[in-house]
Amino acid sequence: MTDSRLQSLQQAVPGLRLKSDPADLEHYGRDWTRRWTPAPLAIALPASIEEVQAIVRWANQQQVALVPSGGRTGLSGGAVAANGELVISMERMNKVLAFNAVDRTLTVQPGIALEAVHNAASEHGLAYPVDFAARGSCSIGGNIATNAGGIRVIRYGNTREWIAGLKLVTGTGELLDLNRALIKNSSGYDLRHLVIASEGTLGIVVEATLRLTDPPSPSNVMLLALPSFEVLMQVFAAFRERLQLEAFEFFTDRALHHVLAHGAQKPFDDVHPYYVVTEFASGDEASEAAAMAAFETCMDNGWVSDGVISQSDAQAAQLWRLREGITESLAAYKPYKNDVSVRISAMPAFLAETQALLGQAYPHFEVVWFGHIGDGNLHINVLKPGDVDYPLFVQQCEHVTELLAQALQRCGGSISAEHGIGLVKKGYLGSTRSDAEIAVMRGIRQVLDPNGLMNPGKLFD
Ligand code: MLT
Ligand code: ZN
């Protein structure tokens, strides 16, 4: 059965590269979530838009589900193929196609890594400012599929802000050229924005034109030690009102403990319960004085107990490693991840409620908090103890996520800030989207993917 389907695919798309070794099925069938056992039919590695279209048409004839696949660094199961789907890997479609100096755009194929986009932009004296720790492995197609955020959203926004145009192969194999990189385009629905964050459920992004900007001005990185959770938003306000913030991130002592165990350098002699890494534009006397004023205000009010400011690029990188190394340092614990957001104004109340809730709900699990506090986005990672079975651990975590989802619903937050819904959070979509909204989403999907073959089971059933 399997062989005959692959033979028919090979006939329908002559020259298409396919992989079906057990090691490949395992490798391409999963993302960074480790909850599902990969079981794809095979892996297709198209080299052109025409090949992608031909695969999608074949899938419609054969009723084979498709899972688009980029760097598979996703944290919500959006790129998992556990039910005999055909994975469409974009790894051969990974090139820069064009740079336009007048428009300040870079046109790329979806399989290109975020870091390669950074490098290409910088070769032209410009910058693509979306950035996060998985930059070397994640792909632009996946960034678009989840509207990826990261550490510079506070300054530059999410991926969505930087997509000038994109090409989509829909669930019927139609090629749509969306927005054609126009700055102004008031000609009806902006379908480009429907595709961004659609997690591969409306079609496959086969090309994207990215907006570029000026390279960032010189900046400084500061690490702050905080005595309590309650002062976090005061520290944020003290820095934000005086400085052009490029990033404002927080993590707990538990997070630091794991990063240090992975080889990072200890920043302070004393142990503190909470830390902030902030980056801000500097390089002139006024901004340096403003940074000092923010720091002194925090010290005088008892909101900050210690601090260090980078004196070189190497030291800035060292401080960033304390924040960016967290995900990798926790990976061995197969953490259950919550990636939630609220409006910044709702953050103090939400932090207090969540802290109380999790304190009661997880007395026996280690909970590691970190995240993009300047964007109202918290990552709450629960680590599996060695003596608890994984299914039982997940079951207990889901019970707490249910309570978290209720708290988010009360304060108008989101159950997924930047990781996507995927398989992991689809049971909680209703806490962030109304029934009417979900019905509209289903209707849109029906139009673009009438046979329900594009990444089925992700986002909603
Ligand atoms: C991060 O902010 O480091 C990423 O979203 C990854 C994660 O949450 O583990
Ligand atoms: Zn994050």
Side-chain angles (χ1 to χ4, degrees):
M1 175 68 173
T2 298
D3 279 356
S4 68
R5 283 206 277 181
L6 293 183
Q7 276 168 15
S8 96
L9 173 58
Q10 201 73 82
Q11 275 164 11
V13 195
L16 175 65
R17 197 175 293 177
L18 288 171
K19 289 184 177 182
S20 56
D21 286 350
D24 290 322
L25 301 182
E26 165 94 20
H27 176 69
Y28 290 92
R30 60 162 35 136
D31 58 14
W32 277 4
T33 53
R34 286 290 182 263
R35 217 193 289 177
W36 293 272
T37 307
L41 168 70
I43 323 301
L45 298 106
S48 67
I49 293 176
E50 292 71 26
E51 283 194 351
V52 175
Q53 288 181 282
I55 296 167
V56 173
R57 289 194 195 106
W58 169 85
N60 274 276
Q61 278 157 14
Q62 301 286 325
Q63 291 296 293
V64 171
L66 301 173
V67 174
S69 182
R72 293 177 304 284
T73 57
L75 297 166
S76 63
V80 168
N83 292 308
E85 304 94 330
L86 179 72
V87 172
I88 305 197
S89 165
M90 290 294 153
E91 74 182 29
R92 294 178 69 209
M93 293 176 66
N94 65 350
K95 297 178 190 56
V96 172
L97 299 175
F99 166 70
N100 188 315
V102 177
D103 295 332
R104 293 184 134 198
T105 56
L106 194 70
T107 300
V108 298
Q109 292 182 308
I112 189 167
L114 175 59
E115 195 167 48
V117 169
H118 290 163
N119 294 340
S122 117
E123 276 165 26
H124 295 290
L126 293 168
Y128 179 71
V130 177
D131 194 18
F132 45 91
R135 60 183 74 80
S137 330
C138 70
S139 72
I140 284 293
N143 289 191
I144 293 171
T146 54
N147 188 23
I151 56 178
R152 301 196 186 273
V153 171
I154 192 171
R155 172 86 163 91
Y156 297 104
N158 293 291
T159 297
R160 185 182 296 286
E161 322 299 329
W162 299 92
I163 305 302
L166 57 82
K167 289 188 182 167
L168 179 83
V169 171
T170 69
T172 56
E174 204 74 50
L175 180 64
L176 303 182
D177 187 356
L178 303 177
N179 199 53
R180 290 173 285 143
L182 295 169
I183 295 170
K184 301 183 83 168
N185 183 4
S186 202
S187 60
Y189 308 140
D190 194 337
L191 302 179
R192 155 189 60 157
H193 284 300
L194 277 182
V195 174
I196 300 167
S198 66
E199 303 189 24
T201 60
L202 302 181
I204 300 175
V205 174
V206 289
E207 194 177 296
T209 297
L210 312 175
R211 286 174 49 215
L212 304 179
T213 187
D214 291 327
S217 42
S219 61
N220 260 329
V221 178
M222 205 184 247
L223 179 72
L224 305 166
L226 276 59
S228 75
F229 216 32
E230 287 69 33
V231 299
L232 196 50
M233 299 315 287
Q234 272 105 303
V235 176
F236 176 52
F239 277 78
R240 187 170 65 163
E241 70 198 26
R242 291 176 175 85
L243 291 155
Q244 169 66 71
L245 295 182
E246 304 277 328
F248 194 91
E249 302 274 314
F250 110 106
F251 53 94
T252 58
D253 177 51
R254 291 314 300 164
L256 181 66
H257 164 85
H258 289 288
V259 178
L260 295 183
H262 265 70
Q265 216 165 323
K266 196 168 180 224
F268 301 115
D269 290 338
D270 294 333
V271 172
H272 304 270
Y274 302 99
Y275 299 91
V276 159
V277 175
T278 180
E279 184 166 334
F280 45 84
S282 72
D284 58 38
E285 274 179 28
S287 57
E288 269 155 38
M292 271 307 118
F295 181 66
E296 277 161 17
T297 301
C298 292
M299 287 294 278
D300 292 348
N301 283 289
W303 301 333
V304 159
S305 352
D306 208 344
V308 56
I309 188 162
S310 61
Q311 303 295 338
S312 63
D313 287 352
Q315 210 183 356
Q318 228 172 48
L319 295 178
W320 264 119
R321 185 174 171 199
L322 301 174
R323 165 63 185 88
E324 294 208 302
I326 298 172
T327 301
E328 198 187 327
S329 75
L330 302 181
Y333 295 91
K334 289 175 118 185
Y336 181 93
K337 285 176 179 285
N338 289 296
D339 161 44
V340 300
S341 72
V342 295
R343 279 172 293 139
I344 292 170
S345 57
M347 203 63 179
F350 180 71
L351 281 177
E353 186 177 2
T354 310
Q355 206 183 16
L357 169 77
L358 298 190
Q360 289 161 12
Y362 287 129
H364 49 297
F365 292 163
E366 182 181 344
V367 182
V368 179
W369 299 64
F370 59 102
H372 318 281
I373 205 79
D375 314 323
N377 176 190
L378 281 178
H379 295 313
I380 303 165
N381 283 222
V382 189
L383 308 194
K384 191 187 91 58
D387 59 350
V388 178
D389 281 351
Y390 192 64
L392 180 65
F393 167 70
V394 170
Q395 200 185 328
Q396 296 191 356
C397 290
E398 300 222 303
H399 168 67
V400 182
T401 297
E402 186 57 52
L403 301 177
L404 198 58
Q406 288 166 13
L408 285 164
Q409 199 159 17
R410 282 194 294 279
C411 68
S414 175
I415 193 71
S416 175
E418 59 172 8
H419 293 173
I421 294 291
L423 291 169
V424 174
K425 292 292 183 315
K426 71 176 169 179
Y428 311 96
L429 185 63
S431 67
T432 302
R433 302 301 193 109
S434 67
D435 290 349
E437 252 186 306
I438 295 172
V440 172
M441 284 161 77
R442 286 185 194 284
I444 291 167
R445 175 157 191 204
Q446 179 64 30
V447 171
L448 286 164
D449 177 29
N451 290 323
L453 299 174
M454 308 308 294
N455 218 6
K458 316 293 165 45
L459 197 50
F460 42 66
D461 283 321

